[in-house]
Amino acid sequence: MMIYKREYYKSTNYFSCDITPKRVTQYYELEIYDYGTGCASIDNILYPHNQNMVIFSKPFQERFTIGSFNCYAIHFTCEDNEICQILSSIPDCIIIDPLIKKQLLNLYELTNIENNLETIVSIGRILNIIKNSNYHIHNEITHNSKIAMTVKEYIDNHYQSPIHISDFEKMVHLSVNYIRKLFLDCYGVTIHKYITELRLSHVKKLLLSTDLPIIDIAYKSGFSSQSHMNYMFKSVFGISPLKYKKMQMYGTQ
């Protein structure tokens, strides 16, 4: 067992958008929730956030999150086949008794990132308690949320290109206004805002990882023009893309 990450995780420290893009997990991800609004999605099943919720996702599962949340997180790898079989039997999401949660947090405090024996034993005890505790599995997925997730997945895969609302109408065979309402009801954000947030996140990534001209960054991020990208970037972050790049790379104001 090798620990990859151990931290008190706040989603607002990582994402400016209320919906995170879908990703495929690389590690076992153990998360003991402390606070949350919205829900977590694992392999297209929605789990409404709950302060007594424990998420245990496995490698190669698809995840995204709606809303914001804080949790105690440990992400780790495991190469022992017998242990991996045991881990696979643990549900992806459970709701535990508050007293059990207190036990888990006490054990969490004994873990650290050094991958020493105490950490591994403590994680093993956490997983054993979860596996053998009385709990109920918490999930919620509806026909409407499936439609909203279909639209979201299309956006995640195509936001770098022009997207027209009529594309969704043809995809799910529903009216534009109804699709907008479903998306807003499910994710708490409009389709337009979600697309803009994804594009701006991509702009920030390209600004810091490439030397592309600003106009190329605009087009590669899905904006119709450099001026539109500049306007949206400044309206959200309060500064221009170039000033953001200088501040992040050189520490200038």
Side-chain angles (χ1 to χ4, degrees):
M1 187 179 293
M2 183 69 69
I3 311 303
Y4 165 70
K5 178 169 73 175
R6 186 256 195 209
E7 66 173 332
Y8 183 73
Y9 182 94
K10 297 182 179 181
S11 61
T12 52
N13 289 346
Y14 289 84
F15 302 104
S16 60
C17 186
D18 290 333
I19 315 173
T20 63
K22 183 180 287 187
R23 64 184 176 87
V24 177
T25 56
Q26 301 179 53
Y27 310 97
Y28 291 97
E29 300 185 357
L30 171 64
E31 297 169 1
I32 306 168
Y33 276 62
D34 187 31
Y35 160 85
T37 61
C39 57
S41 172
I42 302 177
D43 286 342
N44 289 326
I45 297 178
L46 297 180
Y47 300 99
H49 286 151
N50 183 296
Q51 65 179 2
N52 293 315
M53 180 167 81
V54 176
I55 289 285
F56 185 59
S57 55
K58 291 81 175 173
F60 309 115
Q61 289 186 308
E62 290 187 334
R63 291 194 63 179
F64 69 85
T65 302
I66 307 161
S68 62
F69 66 96
N70 299 352
C71 70
Y72 300 87
I74 301 175
H75 296 180
F76 63 91
T77 59
C78 179
E79 297 182 358
D80 186 294
N81 289 333
E82 290 187 11
I83 295 178
C84 287
Q85 287 182 1
I86 295 173
L87 297 180
S88 66
S89 68
I90 299 176
D92 296 336
C93 178
I94 64 173
I95 304 299
I96 56 175
D97 184 273
L99 292 177
I100 297 296
K101 179 181 176 180
K102 187 175 181 179
Q103 283 183 268
L104 299 185
L105 292 180
N106 287 338
L107 288 168
Y108 177 88
E109 292 303 317
L110 299 177
T111 65
N112 56 64
I113 200 63
E114 277 76 30
N115 293 293
N116 59 25
L117 182 59
E118 183 180 29
T119 291
I120 295 172
V121 169
S122 296
I123 294 173
R125 290 178 64 191
I126 289 173
L127 294 171
N128 188 60
I129 289 173
I130 293 171
K131 189 175 186 300
N132 295 298
S133 293
N134 292 322
Y135 57 78
H136 67 273
I137 300 174
H138 195 8
N139 68 77
E140 175 183 304
I141 190 163
T142 66
H143 177 67
N144 286 348
S145 65
K146 286 182 180 179
I147 293 172
M149 290 191 331
T150 297
V151 172
K152 179 188 178 297
E153 186 167 353
Y154 180 86
I155 295 171
D156 289 344
N157 292 328
H158 295 87
Y159 71 89
Q160 293 170 259
S161 303
I163 293 178
H164 305 285
I165 194 70
S166 58
D167 296 336
F168 308 133
E169 194 174 27
K170 296 172 184 176
M171 187 190 314
V172 298
H173 308 292
L174 293 169
S175 71
V176 168
N177 288 337
Y178 192 67
I179 293 169
R180 285 193 178 110
K181 183 179 185 303
L182 281 184
F183 197 90
L184 179 62
D185 288 347
C186 188
Y187 297 127
V189 65
T190 65
I191 289 176
H192 175 73
K193 183 180 178 183
Y194 181 57
I195 294 172
T196 300
E197 288 275 6
L198 286 182
R199 287 173 174 168
L200 290 177
S201 294
H202 194 67
V203 168
K204 290 170 72 174
K205 178 181 178 181
L206 292 181
L207 285 170
L208 300 182
S209 63
T210 74
D211 292 318
L212 288 171
I214 293 295
I215 190 169
D216 290 347
I217 289 177
Y219 291 137
K220 285 181 177 293
S221 300
F223 287 99
S224 58
S225 67
Q226 179 180 335
S227 61
H228 184 217
M229 179 196 73
N230 286 342
Y231 174 80
M232 295 306 301
F233 196 97
K234 191 168 185 178
S235 68
V236 172
F237 301 113
I239 55 175
S240 69
L242 277 178
K243 187 170 183 180
Y244 169 81
K245 181 171 184 173
K246 289 178 181 179
M247 289 176 61
Q248 294 297 314
M249 298 189 72
Y250 308 112
T252 57
Q253 296 297 317

